[in-house]
Amino acid sequence: MSAKPVSARLTIRNIQALRDAGEPIAMLTAYDHVTAGLLDQSGIDMILVGDSLGNVVLGYETTLPVTIEDMIHHAAAVCRGASRALIVTDLPFGTASDPETALRSAVTVLQRTGCQAVKIEGGATAAPTVARLVEQGIPVMGHIGLTPQAVNQLGGYYRHGKSSADAEALIAAALALQEAGAFAIVLEVLVPELAAEITRRLTIPTIGIGSGAGCSGQVLVVNDLIGLGLEPPPSFAVPKADVASVIRQAASAYVAELKGPQGKASKEPSIV
Ligand code: KIV
């Protein structure tokens, strides 16, 4: 019997070790095979197949229309592209509404994509759901603060933890999710001092987005990082490239060349 090579993929233990060593954890979203491969080659620790898929790839106004089939389709492609990063897939709106529904959703996602973990949005009330999945051996990332699946309940996208009551509820939620067994928690658009306080109070990693530098790691929507979108990115995301301009320039050059005198004159080579 030939010995199987040991997988080089990072695990939740590696992610915890990064946090314990004080090394920032780098996470980005990806929705396709090529991007996932490029992020993997760049040394990213975790890839999130976020339901931001709905906004940045599928053109929906919110994440609510994203289905589990959408997530599976894209997460499977990401898993085929990245062999080192730990891959986390979002359970989309309505698929983690109670522990048993969430368990069925998570099992389906893990079996059909090859990803290693799921992410669930929600505060302290999501803790029993997290506990149920963890008990079945499924790593779960929590997500508190600005939880886009609850946009209609929240009444918009804004910073969380400004009042002391809200701050206390967020601290309690983070502690409850950790107690339930979450391996990490996304803190989205929290008051930075509160995000830092939660990070100090937890023993698991916090992954911030728009919540300041005091988290154990950071996550960004990859399109916001590379400047690939039809709308400007949120103010906390500073693009490191302008891929939208590169695409526009290349496509305009192609159109101009094809429709110009040279293009009209040239004949396609015949296929032999
Ligand atoms: O769906 C997503 O991309 C997310 C991140 C913004 C954390 O949940």
Side-chain angles (χ1 to χ4, degrees):
M1 200 176 79
S2 67
K4 271 193 177 170
V6 177
S7 166
R9 192 181 290 286
L10 297 182
T11 69
I12 61 170
R13 286 161 61 95
N14 299 120
I15 301 304
Q16 180 69 41
L18 290 175
R19 179 257 173 217
D20 294 345
E23 189 179 324
I25 300 161
M27 185 177 203
L28 283 168
T29 67
Y31 316 99
D32 67 274
H33 170 258
V34 173
T35 309
L38 296 174
L39 300 186
D40 217 34
Q41 290 165 14
S42 312
I44 203 81
D45 299 310
M46 290 194 280
I47 293 177
L48 172 65
V49 188
D51 61 356
S52 50
L53 166 74
N55 310 98
V56 296
V57 176
L58 302 178
Y60 298 131
E61 207 170 305
T62 71
T63 58
L64 273 64
V66 177
T67 66
I68 197 157
E69 285 301 324
D70 292 331
M71 295 307 300
I72 289 168
H73 186 69
H74 287 267
V78 167
C79 291
R80 288 192 291 273
S83 57
R84 177 185 174 274
L86 175 73
I87 300 173
V88 183
T89 303
D90 256 333
L91 292 189
F93 181 61
T95 65
S97 47
D98 62 79
E100 295 313 313
T101 306
L103 180 58
R104 276 194 301 279
S105 304
V107 167
T108 307
V109 165
L110 260 67
Q111 284 183 333
R112 290 182 53 196
T113 68
C115 76
Q116 289 75 52
V118 295
K119 176 164 79 58
I120 294 177
E121 291 185 12
T125 53
T129 298
V130 172
R132 181 78 178 111
L133 270 57
V134 171
E135 170 195 289
Q136 292 300 309
I138 300 172
V140 183
M141 179 175 272
H143 181 161
I144 61 172
L146 199 177
T147 46
Q149 291 174 16
V151 61
N152 293 319
Q153 177 69 30
L154 296 173
Y157 301 101
Y158 52 84
R159 192 164 292 283
H160 286 252
K162 287 187 187 164
S163 72
S164 53
D166 192 22
E168 274 165 32
L170 286 161
I171 293 171
L175 290 169
L177 293 170
Q178 170 174 274
E179 180 65 23
F183 77 94
I185 304 178
V186 168
L187 307 181
E188 182 161 355
V189 195
L190 255 57
V191 171
E193 295 73 26
L194 175 63
E197 170 68 12
I198 290 175
T199 303
R200 277 192 293 276
R201 305 256 301 248
L202 295 185
T203 55
I204 57 170
T206 58
I207 309 294
I209 173 161
S211 298
C215 302
S216 324
Q218 298 289 330
V219 60
L220 269 186
V221 168
V222 72
N223 294 56
D224 296 340
L225 178 77
I226 65 173
L228 176 59
L230 299 174
E231 305 290 335
S235 55
F236 58 77
V238 182
K240 301 240 181 284
D242 187 1
V243 173
S245 293
V246 173
I247 293 177
R248 260 189 238 108
Q249 278 161 20
S252 309
Y254 172 76
V255 172
E257 197 178 295
L258 204 66
K259 291 183 183 282
Q262 293 281 310
K264 281 183 193 144
S266 74
K267 281 218 174 103
E268 244 187 44
S270 58
I271 300 166
V272 281

